[in-house]
């Protein structure tokens, strides 16, 4: 749904909401669930282990080498392009294209490894997260909790409503 349609729909909904809701005692909060889960000490440790793993290191080093080689080919063809033979230009172009494909593949591999770690952290922390969220909602008397993450449709919320860091701190404390 595009932004204009969403704004019109929101306006219409607000027009038809009973006026009693405006006088209701609302306690609103926002949270970025992804940030809350991935900012914990456990998540940081998992990511550190991932980056120190043999698999990650090998892929990252290979990626770095291929990116360096591609950059060198680019620089050489820019610098020596006018004096290069057609065959040399063609050979450099083929090698460069091959490197670009390898780079894309290696980046995807690193991304997949990272996604696996994210899933692992989410699975490990899900139950604790739910308990902490329930406790916080009850303790703070939150009547409306909005997702303030990157993919949410929340257009604006004052920082004072954000409980993400509080959830991270509580999860870290529960771990100790």
């Amino acid at each position: 749904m595009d932004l204009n349609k969403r704004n019109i729909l929101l306006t219409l909904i607000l027009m038809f909401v009973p006026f009693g809701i405006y006088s209701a005692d609302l306690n609103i909060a926002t949270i970025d669930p992804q940030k809350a889960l991935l900012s914990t000490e456990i998540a940081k440790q998992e990511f550190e282990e991932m980056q120190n793993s043999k698999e990650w290191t090998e892929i990252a080093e290979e990626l770095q080498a291929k990116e360096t080689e591609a950059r060198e080919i680019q620089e050489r063809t820019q610098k020596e392009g006018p004096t290069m033979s057609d065959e040399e230009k063609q050979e450099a172009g083929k090698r460069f294209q091959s490197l670009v494909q390898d780079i894309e593949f290696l980046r995807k591999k690193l991304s997949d490894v990272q996604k696996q770690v994210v899933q692992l952290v989410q699975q490990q922390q899900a139950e604790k997260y739910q308990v902490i969220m329930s406790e916080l909602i009850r303790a703070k008397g939150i009547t409306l909790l909005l997702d303030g993450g990157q993919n949410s449709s929340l257009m604006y919320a004052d920082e004072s409503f954000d409980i993400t860091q509080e959830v991270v701190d509580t999860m870290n404390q529960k771990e100790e």
Side-chain angles (χ1 to χ4, degrees):
M1 181 181 302
D2 71 0
L3 188 60
N4 289 332
K5 287 181 182 177
R6 191 171 79 203
N7 287 339
I8 291 170
L9 180 63
L10 182 61
T11 304
L12 289 172
I13 290 171
L14 290 175
M15 284 175 46
F16 294 109
V17 171
F19 290 106
I21 196 168
Y22 294 113
S23 65
D25 188 21
L26 289 177
N27 189 2
I28 301 169
T30 64
I31 186 162
D32 182 341
Q34 179 102 358
K35 182 178 178 185
L37 287 168
L38 299 180
S39 296
T40 62
E41 290 303 316
I42 286 181
K44 290 175 185 176
Q45 288 172 355
E46 290 290 341
F47 281 109
E48 193 174 308
E49 285 177 26
M50 172 197 72
Q51 289 175 338
N52 293 330
S53 73
K54 183 178 178 184
E55 178 187 16
W56 180 273
T57 307
E58 287 174 355
I59 296 169
E61 287 173 357
E62 185 178 355
L63 175 61
Q64 177 101 27
K66 300 231 183 230
E67 287 174 335
T68 301
E69 186 180 349
R71 206 173 310 110
E72 289 170 355
I73 290 173
Q74 240 179 350
E75 290 169 1
R76 188 173 60 100
T77 54
Q78 284 177 347
K79 189 177 182 181
E80 301 172 12
T83 60
M84 290 173 77
S85 70
D86 288 342
E87 187 177 307
E88 288 175 317
K89 288 179 186 175
Q90 200 172 32
E91 194 63 40
K94 284 180 185 177
R95 179 65 185 147
F96 183 78
Q97 285 303 318
S98 174
L99 287 169
V100 167
Q101 289 174 343
D102 291 347
I103 289 168
E104 288 173 8
F105 174 75
L106 293 170
R107 283 183 181 163
K108 184 179 179 335
K109 255 177 121 169
L110 287 178
S111 176
D112 289 346
V113 171
Q114 199 168 20
K115 285 177 186 174
Q116 288 174 348
V117 172
V118 167
Q119 283 181 322
L120 175 69
V121 168
Q122 287 173 335
Q123 289 170 352
Q124 288 175 343
Q125 301 294 308
E127 189 175 324
K128 183 170 39 168
Y129 174 79
Q130 288 301 326
V131 169
I132 289 169
M133 288 304 303
S134 296
E135 290 172 358
L136 258 174
I137 288 169
R138 227 175 296 115
K140 289 181 161 280
I142 295 171
T143 54
L144 181 62
L145 183 62
L146 302 170
D147 183 340
Q150 290 179 336
N151 297 326
S152 78
S153 58
L154 182 62
M155 293 173 64
Y156 172 78
D158 188 291
E159 292 283 325
S160 65
F161 290 109
D162 191 358
I163 62 170
T164 303
Q165 189 59 49
E166 193 171 345
V167 171
V168 171
D169 294 342
T170 306
M171 289 181 74
N172 285 338
Q173 288 173 359
K174 296 265 184 182
E175 203 53 47
E176 295 172 356

